[in-house]
Amino acid sequence: MTMQGLYLHIPFCEHKCIYCDFYSVEQTHGIKKFVDSLIAEITLTAGSVDITNKFTTIFLGGGTPSLLTPVQLQKIIDTLHRHFPIAPDAEVTIETNPGTVDVEKLRAYKNIGINRLSLGVQSFSPKDLEFLTRIHSVEEAEKCYDDARKSGFDNINLDLIFSLPTHTKTGWVHNIEKVINLAPDHVSAYSLTYEKGTPLYTMLKNKQVVPLQDDLDAEFFGLTMDMLEHAGFEQYEISNYAQPGKKCLHNRIYWEYHEYFGFGPSAHSFYKGKRYWNVNDLVKYYKQIKAGLLPKAGEEVLSDQQKVEEEIFLGLRTSGIDLKKMKNIYNLDILKNKAAEISSFTERGFIVVENGCLRLTKQGKAFADMIATELI
Ligand code: SF4
């Protein structure tokens, strides 16, 4: 199936969370100027590419896109429709932070064609939210979810973060139970990472925070998988779980090497086998757009070695590595080249080879990165 996606990066946040390494600025002013620049970038891009297929997804991410008013969002979406052919049933997602929307705003989102919400809830424990320096409370997260349902959204994702230093097993079980009771359509659950350049990373270096041990992290991950699976979710990627028919199509575009265009500072694109990305600086972004130039910062054509590495990494995170494809396209016989590693992982119950596919077992999923590194 041919798919194509459009991504818009809205780089504003009310507050910069300590763990976040996405490009965003801690300000809520200047949004009008940004929207005008984004519209200019969309128009410039459309004039420089050949489009044959319809676009199947639009994803408004950030940052906090829900800081934009419905009128501003409508302007952006209308511009996309004017310049790109968009499928009438396209998946249109907006990332939304609790505390930045109400029923009225959400209804307006629905009216402008947004049909999927991704709520940045992260946790239903006040202690966790405080640690993560999120601006919303548990009550606001619950209200936001209720408001979304009241507004008619039937495709809602909840983002969660586990393995916080504040987490206990009971606390995390309570979190997942809460999620299951709310019954979202999709859950993204990631283990907390300590990204260089974030305040959290500095806290780690200064020993102000002690990360959970790997075995506990694996236990939290196992609990998440078991409980969500029991509640009818399919784990279609290592960190993503969906109810039947609710897998995120935009994710598939990235994972299956379909083309996409990204707009806004730091946004990435993939077009005609080339990956390129925008400047991750709002001032430089405005300057380029004002000069009538695309705000590109760099580009790359993936080498065969990079493609193999990505296929292995993504294959393990999703439905498995297609061994025939690896042989036909990259002339790589993983079973032969990595016989010792594969035999060791199989004996430990981490991987299985079946139907021409090498995939992780449930137990192996907790060690996906380590296994990918060994196979690469
Ligand atoms: S709200 Fe989201 S994008 Fe903004 S700082 Fe927090 S984690 Fe990052």
Side-chain angles (χ1 to χ4, degrees), residues 39 43 75 77-86:
I39 285 172
T43 312
K75 266 176 95 174
I77 292 175
D78 284 352
T79 309
L80 291 175
H81 277 278
R82 251 198 319 280
H83 294 287
F84 295 97
I86 294 168

Side-chain angles (χ1 to χ4, degrees), residues 108-119:
Y109 284 0
K110 217 100 228 262
N111 290 337
I112 58 175
I114 294 171
N115 52 29
R116 184 171 183 273
L117 286 184
S118 180
L119 304 185

